[in-house]
Amino acid sequence: MDKDKIVGKPISRLEGKLKVTGAAKYAAEYEVENLLHAYVVNSPVTKGKIKSINIDKATALPGVITVLSHINRPKLAWFDLQYADMDAPPGTVFKPFYNDEILYNGQPIALVVAEDFETARYAATLVEFDFEEKPFETFLTDHTEQARPPKFGLATALKPPPPPPTGDFEQAYQDAAVKVESEYQHGTEHHNPMEMFATTTVYNGEGKLTIYDKTQGTINNQLFVANVFGLKYKNVRVLAPFVGGAFGSGLRPQYQLLLCAMAAIHLKRNVRLVLDRKQMFFFSHRPPTKQNLKFATDVNGRLTAMAHTALSETSSYEDYFESVASWSHKLYPAPNTLFEQKVVPLDVCTPLDMRAPGGSTALHAIECTMDELAYKLKIDPLELRLLNYSDTDPSAKKPYTSKALRACYLQAAERFGWKNRTPEPRSMTRGNKLVGYGMATGIWDALQFPSRVEAIINADGKLILNNAVTDIGTGTFTVMTQIAADELGLSIEDVDFRYGDSQKPFSMFQGGSAMTASTGVGIVVATKELKKKILKVARKMDNFPFAKSDDKDIIFEGGRIYLKADPEISISFKEIVAFNKGRNIKTTNMGKPHMLKLRNYSKATHSASFVEVEVDIELGNVTVTRAVTAVAAGKIINPKTAKSQIYGSMVWGISKALHEETIMDKKLGKYINTNLGEYHIPVHADIKDMDVIFAEEEDELINELGIKGVGEIGLVGMPAAISNAIFHATGKRINSLPIHFDELM
Ligand code: MOS
């Protein structure tokens, strides 16, 4: 009667049909009565003041209801708390329509509300402004002399300062047998999820709002709206059952949420606000960075010294940074190290985490520097990694809870055929193409956030779970259903996981590859308690057949309880709930990371990426023809959704290495390719043969489920593997991403 485990099965997305048939509704698709439509006016000026606004022409247009700006906006209850949302970096949060000041190009400066979208959009072109323009600084590498360490604040608890120096870097570097010094530059990138940022606000009467929002965190945005407008938390409900991608852009409330709620409260009406693709470039982004590395080894290739300095852009009002300089010492045990992380405040919007923030940027530089060392040492790049392999985390001097990186290297190398590589650059060709093989290491955090889950058995004997988490396309809904089904011995049809709603028990925003561990542990804790409650009720039944048995000997399976020794005798959940006078049996519990138990350990996921590129000798264009990534991320709940996460990440790696960049015009202080025609991302034709391996990794320490999380770990190694393959193919080392074909011709 032993039921097959559902965890570990490659189950397809449970909501897949809803999505592909268009039945899944996104934030701007809810049918709401008497809906008004709003459109944002963005500043064409990069820095300065709004001297005057003339809204006469706009408001004269039939169908226009109002035009809001800093002049006539409603009074806001609270606009100055430092941490306006759970992901706010130190500083003062950006406040749309706060006053006449313009802090960055594209800043929202007015909002037109009309009967329909087209009228609102047209009227937005009729609002007239007089500006006083001021000089601005928007170009990172022009202002590196202003670099300073960032302030470390509440939300940056997840991003500690880089590890302190060890040994004597300068001396060790000077004395080293083999050394490499290199500089890397990365441009700005915008997240550009498929679904545009949008909010539909339903006005439910004085101080009461139901908000359909595009976000990674329903509770974060609920708190934000309640705080900004001085509303009771319980009167603000934020729903995001389906999210069309976000990649970090939805970690913080974006400006359309605040403006849409403002219009709804002001007009006491239902309002929808959708950003267009261009406006998606007028909020947060991955910051440009400049990195300097100095790595040295002894004659045998053992790392003796590593220095890594990273500068990145932040805004004039908040200290955002991605952890870039922190990663090399988590991988490699060099005794002499020096790490620095600095920010340069510029007249831009505050950057925000974007897929594998910091890690993907850092590992590109670290793993290309390792490749350079391998060439200098005449050691195979994979050999060099194995030579400098560490089971512990040298930066924290702690063992990892688990680390199957060696297996990742070996399995991926085998699958890829790394042994067929001839080490000389330009030594492999295919027709008129140069062929290159490159590899790189990946490492990413294994995070877990607290997560509260309500678990219910209802009169039908079905399990209902409630949690505020979102599923931004990662498969959360599916894997949570799987975890819950196994915990109670049910089939997935008998589990109803409900999510994406701020009224449900607490969850952090979905991010950091943390949700499977976070919500998953919440489910384990809640279902364990639920089982106790079910038994407590059952034991009150007349003639309860297992009265003499311990709770721990009673098995839950197929919606029934029984003893292993005698499966013929059983009681169904339905009977137990019926005995409970038909009342649901329920519990709400918090799953938490085991901080105390884990304080003597480091935790991380690891990966190894191997890539083949073809570079056209005449045209210089690059094709990633094959890629294999092996990932060690603890237990894999669903190999299908997990593999899709890694595929998506690998595509993102190709995109980062070869396609994506937002170009800043330093004379105008603005981005000039604010559309998907000129902001390049890969298309199907760019993606060839890709393969994913999950290395076995049993982690009994990390959490109840042995989960470390997948997603970002598939991206981190790819840009370096591609760059290294391009070097192998061409003999050219291009250290700024994306790599353009003209640099390779
Ligand atoms: Mo992400 S950058 O983990 O949303």
Side-chain angles (χ1 to χ4, degrees), residues 411-433:
Q411 290 174 26
E414 173 70 26
R415 178 88 55 97
F416 179 83
W418 182 251
K419 64 177 190 308
N420 301 326
R421 177 179 186 264
T422 54
E424 260 321 283
R426 300 181 81 94
S427 62
M428 295 170 78
T429 56
R430 196 177 286 147
N432 67 335
K433 306 276 174 65

Side-chain angles (χ1 to χ4, degrees), residues 191 216 246-251 353-357 444 472 510-513 712:
H191 308 76
Q216 289 171 248
F247 313 120
S249 57
L251 289 170
D353 287 349
M354 176 162 158
R355 257 198 140 173
W444 187 247
I472 59 174
Q510 175 157 85
S513 303
E712 287 152 308

Side-chain angles (χ1 to χ4, degrees), residues 13 247 355-356 408 412 415 442-445 473-475 513 516 605-611 627-655 687-695 708-719 722:
R13 297 284 185 89
F247 313 120
R355 257 198 140 173
C408 290
R415 178 88 55 97
I443 178 169
W444 187 247
D445 295 321
T474 47
S513 303
T516 306
T605 56
H606 294 88
S607 66
S609 291
F610 290 75
V611 163
V628 179
T629 294
V631 170
K635 184 188 284 179
I636 300 303
I637 302 297
N638 181 330
K640 188 172 188 176
T641 54
K643 212 174 206 181
S644 290
Q645 280 290 294
I646 302 303
Y647 282 142
S649 273
M650 289 169 74
V651 170
W652 196 294
I654 294 171
S655 197
I687 305 305
K688 309 290 182 190
D689 181 6
M690 294 204 304
D691 209 350
V692 176
I693 298 167
F694 289 111
K708 290 184 176 176
V710 293
E712 287 152 308
I713 187 60
L715 157 59
V716 280
M718 283 293 286
I722 294 167

Side-chain angles (χ1 to χ4, degrees), residues 373-536:
L373 280 171
Y375 277 96
K376 277 205 170 169
L377 287 154
K378 297 195 178 4
I379 295 179
D380 180 272
L382 174 56
E383 276 308 311
L384 183 65
R385 268 60 168 205
L386 293 172
L387 196 62
N388 287 285
Y389 194 87
S390 176
D391 286 308
T392 62
D393 171 358
S395 72
K397 298 193 178 66
K398 290 175 186 175
Y400 281 109
T401 57
S402 60
K403 179 177 174 179
L405 175 59
R406 192 186 300 275
C408 290
Y409 284 135
L410 300 178
Q411 290 174 26
E414 173 70 26
R415 178 88 55 97
F416 179 83
W418 182 251
K419 64 177 190 308
N420 301 326
R421 177 179 186 264
T422 54
E424 260 321 283
R426 300 181 81 94
S427 62
M428 295 170 78
T429 56
R430 196 177 286 147
N432 67 335
K433 306 276 174 65
L434 297 167
V435 174
Y437 285 8
M439 60 81 59
T441 315
I443 178 169
W444 187 247
D445 295 321
L447 293 173
Q448 186 189 332
F449 303 132
S451 179
R452 229 168 122 79
V453 171
E454 181 183 45
I456 301 168
I457 286 291
N458 71 8
D460 297 329
K462 304 223 176 199
L463 173 64
I464 299 165
L465 298 143
N466 285 306
N467 180 257
V469 73
T470 53
D471 181 339
I472 59 174
T474 47
T476 303
F477 173 42
T478 310
V479 299
M480 291 313 145
T481 305
Q482 287 177 264
I483 290 170
D486 276 1
E487 288 302 315
L488 234 62
L490 294 168
S491 64
I492 51 173
E493 291 76 24
D494 288 329
V495 177
D496 185 0
F497 179 69
R498 300 175 182 174
Y499 61 102
D501 179 352
S502 67
Q503 269 185 357
K504 298 191 181 299
F506 177 82
S507 169
M508 290 289 280
F509 32 70
Q510 175 157 85
S513 303
M515 280 2 253
T516 306
S518 306
T519 317
V521 168
I523 287 174
V524 170
V525 172
T527 49
K528 279 210 162 50
E529 192 57 33
L530 185 66
K531 286 194 209 175
K532 283 191 204 156
K533 288 208 166 173
I534 292 169
L535 287 179
K536 202 170 159 196

Side-chain angles (χ1 to χ4, degrees), residues 37-43 67-68 94 96-97 104 106-113 117 120-125 127 129 197 254-260 272-276 279 282:
H37 295 261
Y39 193 88
V40 178
V41 182
N42 301 88
S43 172
V67 178
L68 292 173
F94 170 69
F97 300 4
Y104 65 91
Q107 170 180 325
I109 51 174
L111 185 76
V112 180
V113 188
F117 175 76
R121 183 172 56 180
Y122 175 55
T125 66
V127 184
F129 295 88
F197 272 75
Q254 295 293 5
Y255 63 86
Q256 97 290 341
L257 169 64
L258 188 149
L259 296 178
C260 186
R272 171 169 301 155
L273 173 44
V274 186
L275 299 185
D276 62 23
Q279 291 171 324
F282 296 152

